Amino acid sequence: MYHAAGEYVTDFCIVRRDETFHLFHIRGERWTWPLGYREIDLGHAISTDLWSWTPLPPVLGPGTPGAWDEAGIWAPDIVEIEGVYYMFYTGSDAQNNQAIGLATSADLRQWTKYPSNPVVTPGVWSDRATGRDVAGRDGMVYIDAEAGRYLMYYTATMVDGRACIALAESHDLHRWVDLGPTYIEEDRSYNRCESPYLVRHNDSYYLFYSAKGGPNSKGFAPGEFAHFDIVYLLAATPEGPWTRPANHALLERWTCASEHPTFDGTTYMLYIVQEELGQLWGASFLSDPKRLEWLPDGTVAIREHQPSGVIRRSLIESGGSDVAAWISHGGTWRSNGDALEAPGGAGDAFLMDTLWGADLAFEAEIWLGEASAGSLLLRSNPSALAGYRVALDADIGMVSLYLRLPGAADRPLQQRAVAIEPAGWRQLRVVAHGPCLEIYVDGALSIVHADRTYTSGCFGLHARGTARFRNIRADTDALRQAQVEADWSQRCKPRYLLF
């Protein structure tokens, strides 16, 4: 995860030069709500692995008073042609009329704005013709080598108020021709399509974007959004027509502005995670990298991309031979072959380890009977069982993230529908890294959520009804494995085995 101290990160792009990745992003001031949010300029950071970032001086700021970009700039996108880097960025004038401009660089550090900016403005089909402030932002350039052209995808608003993704075409990256909307959002619960990103895989084109409904994000409550999702479309050509795949919504509620760069044959996914403080959104950070998996039916799944030096080890061996080291509540857990079987019944049963720490990657395969639930607990404690509970619930057909406070009912933070067949095994995995909680079902990322209520604690299992657990494992930093093995039998250590 990345944001510089005192700042937040939003719309971004990543380009690689030699063996170094360069991140360019909107640089804003954290926690300025309810006074609004302050986006300062375009920040710059570098990395060698997409995980750890070192901030560098910002590269580009707003224009002078009266300029087309005087009120702010954001949403960079960069392509490199014959050693020259072309950055396309959004600018806004004092009336919030938006357009897209160009800056160039030879070294990714010193940038020069194009004197004939802006280079792309929405056409007469857009709200430009209504006298309202104009939406025309978040440009992404795709090199259409087969057609010998460049295509720019950007977000705009139709004259009738519908959100859309528009297209412009160029042969030299300086002169652009308006092609109009390539996709119009007919679902009026979405009022913005943002941060488009096109990826070609085999003979299909995948158009990823953020779909939002509600007010601007910073300074508003998460509940005010009908949608705040990362979604995608499919087409046989880069101009459409576009169709919605079965898993159109990849992530919901807390993420936006995804980028999907391909390096050395692997297509990654990074995105922005929103942060809440005092029940308002006021900041955000860049996620750790994920990778996209292209499935045989043409859809995609988001898979975990682990840092180097991570191995996975079993926490409970041989069907529970070391369960005596854990603390149980609500009944006796029993060994059933290679699995642990919960006590059963309508009440809640818990099995808690006492290792204490902060960041955690924890998983298990869970078998559920009808109307039963099985959960992983993390950043919890052995007695009050406060912390986070990540549940597969066959009764409601959901994977859920709950916040547990002492003496209070579990509070759902986020839920997603998932098919749970009775008497079938499903893998549930949760990665807690700083404030970010990532939940995977059968290896596919399903929920991303930021919460700062609990920053450390223990881990354990929970069941209601008939449930079994097997292959209960955690990730371990290989560089610390020797120390972990030496101390594994010692409980209540201020350490987790992770990252």
Side-chain angles (χ1 to χ4, degrees):
M1 303 181 303
Y2 171 73
H3 69 82
E7 300 173 3
Y8 63 77
V9 173
T10 50
D11 301 9
F12 68 98
C13 69
I14 296 174
V15 61
R16 183 169 66 179
R17 186 183 190 202
D18 299 326
E19 299 303 315
T20 301
F21 299 99
H22 291 255
L23 168 71
F24 297 89
H25 61 88
I26 298 174
R27 191 172 70 99
E29 185 179 344
R30 293 171 69 82
W31 312 126
T32 55
W33 53 263
L35 304 176
Y37 60 101
R38 183 167 178 252
E39 294 181 343
I40 306 167
D41 50 28
L42 297 184
H44 183 197
I46 56 173
S47 173
T48 58
D49 59 6
L50 295 174
W51 290 89
S52 300
W53 296 93
T54 300
L56 297 178
V59 296
L60 213 59
T64 57
W68 72 279
D69 59 353
E70 68 170 310
I73 65 172
W74 59 89
D77 182 70
I78 295 172
V79 294
E80 182 267 327
I81 305 295
E82 297 180 351
V84 177
Y85 296 92
Y86 295 79
M87 176 194 288
F88 296 90
Y89 65 95
T90 303
S92 175
D93 66 16
Q95 288 73 46
N96 196 32
N97 295 304
Q98 302 167 4
I100 297 170
L102 169 65
T104 57
S105 175
D107 61 4
L108 294 173
R109 286 170 167 78
Q110 301 297 319
W111 292 86
T112 302
K113 292 184 178 181
Y114 182 52
S116 297
N117 278 337
V119 295
V120 173
T121 56
V124 295
W125 46 265
S126 74
D127 56 0
R128 182 182 183 188
T130 66
R132 297 194 301 263
D133 53 347
V134 177
R137 60 186 180 274
D138 299 0
M140 180 267 175
V141 173
Y142 172 74
I143 302 174
D144 188 5
E146 291 182 359
R149 62 178 178 173
Y150 304 98
L151 290 174
M152 180 185 291
Y153 298 78
Y154 67 97
T155 183
T157 303
M158 301 291 292
V159 69
D160 61 6
R162 287 177 295 171
C164 73
I165 296 173
L167 265 181
E169 180 186 67
S170 176
H171 294 278
D172 63 4
L173 294 174
H174 293 88
R175 295 179 295 266
W176 292 84
V177 176
D178 174 32
L179 299 183
T182 184
Y183 174 74
I184 302 172
E185 181 57 76
E186 299 293 347
D187 183 348
R188 290 300 186 99
S189 64
Y190 290 111
N191 63 5
R192 285 180 292 161
C193 300
E194 299 195 341
S195 303
Y197 196 103
L198 187 78
V199 178
R200 180 179 179 177
H201 180 72
N202 294 333
D203 294 325
S204 296
Y205 294 86
Y206 295 75
L207 182 58
F208 300 88
Y209 64 100
S210 299
K212 299 183 183 180
N216 289 326
S217 56
K218 304 295 188 300
F220 289 86
E224 295 188 31
F225 288 80
H227 300 274
F228 200 172
D229 310 330
I230 294 176
V231 301
Y232 77 109
L233 304 168
L234 276 170
T237 77
E239 296 169 292
W242 302 95
T243 60
R244 291 189 176 196
N247 63 337
H248 170 65
L250 289 172
L251 294 175
E252 298 177 344
R253 301 293 299 167
W254 284 77
T255 56
C256 64
S258 64
E259 295 277 309
H260 308 264
T262 299
F263 300 115
D264 299 327
T266 298
T267 301
Y268 296 89
M269 177 177 181
L270 298 96
Y271 46 84
I272 298 301
V273 183
Q274 299 282 350
E275 294 182 88
E276 178 188 3
L277 186 66
Q279 299 182 337
L280 292 175
W281 271 321
S284 48
F285 56 83
L286 177 69
S287 75
D288 288 331
K290 310 296 180 289
R291 59 179 177 84
L292 288 184
E293 181 180 357
W294 312 97
L295 302 179
D297 64 357
T299 61
V300 300
I302 308 170
R303 303 297 187 188
E304 189 174 5
H305 180 71
Q306 290 193 334
S308 60
V310 170
I311 62 174
R312 197 161 294 170
R313 66 161 294 160
S314 295
L315 296 178
I316 299 179
E317 305 284 358
S318 305
S321 61
D322 59 352
V323 173
W326 294 40
I327 298 174
S328 63
H329 301 266
T332 301
W333 293 65
R334 296 173 294 275
S335 174
N336 184 346
D338 63 348
L340 280 175
E341 187 169 318
D348 293 302
F350 299 86
L351 186 64
M352 300 298 301
D353 202 342
T354 56
L355 284 169
W356 193 273
D359 292 345
L360 171 68
F362 182 35
E363 67 179 43
E365 294 176 23
I366 302 175
W367 180 99
L368 296 175
E370 293 188 6
S372 298
S375 312
L376 305 180
L377 290 96
L378 65 151
R379 294 181 177 172
S380 187
N381 56 3
S383 56
L385 307 173
Y388 301 104
R389 180 167 72 90
V390 179
L392 287 176
D393 194 325
D395 194 29
I396 61 175
M398 292 280 187
V399 56
S400 305
L401 170 63
Y402 294 97
L403 177 67
R404 293 179 56 83
L405 298 171
D410 289 3
R411 189 175 84 193
L413 296 178
Q414 194 167 343
Q415 296 178 302
R416 288 197 75 174
V418 62
I420 303 175
E421 297 294 333
W425 291 94
R426 304 297 300 269
Q427 186 194 59
L428 184 62
R429 176 173 171 83
V430 58
V431 179
H433 186 191
C436 193
L437 305 170
E438 300 169 349
I439 298 168
Y440 296 81
V441 178
D442 292 334
L445 184 61
S446 298
I447 289 176
V448 176
H449 198 95
D451 190 89
R452 294 178 178 272
T453 306
Y454 296 105
T455 58
S456 64
C458 300
F459 56 86
L461 308 175
H462 159 268
R464 183 183 303 119
T466 305
R468 298 172 187 163
F469 299 79
R470 71 182 184 190
N471 293 326
I472 305 164
R473 297 176 292 196
D475 290 356
T476 305
D477 186 336
L479 297 177
R480 300 171 61 193
Q481 181 66 16
Q483 184 65 34
V484 168
E485 295 291 348
D487 293 346
W488 184 251
S489 62
Q490 300 180 40
R491 303 291 166 176
C492 296
K493 295 289 184 182
R495 174 187 64 246
Y496 263 160
L497 322 168
L498 315 153
F499 298 147

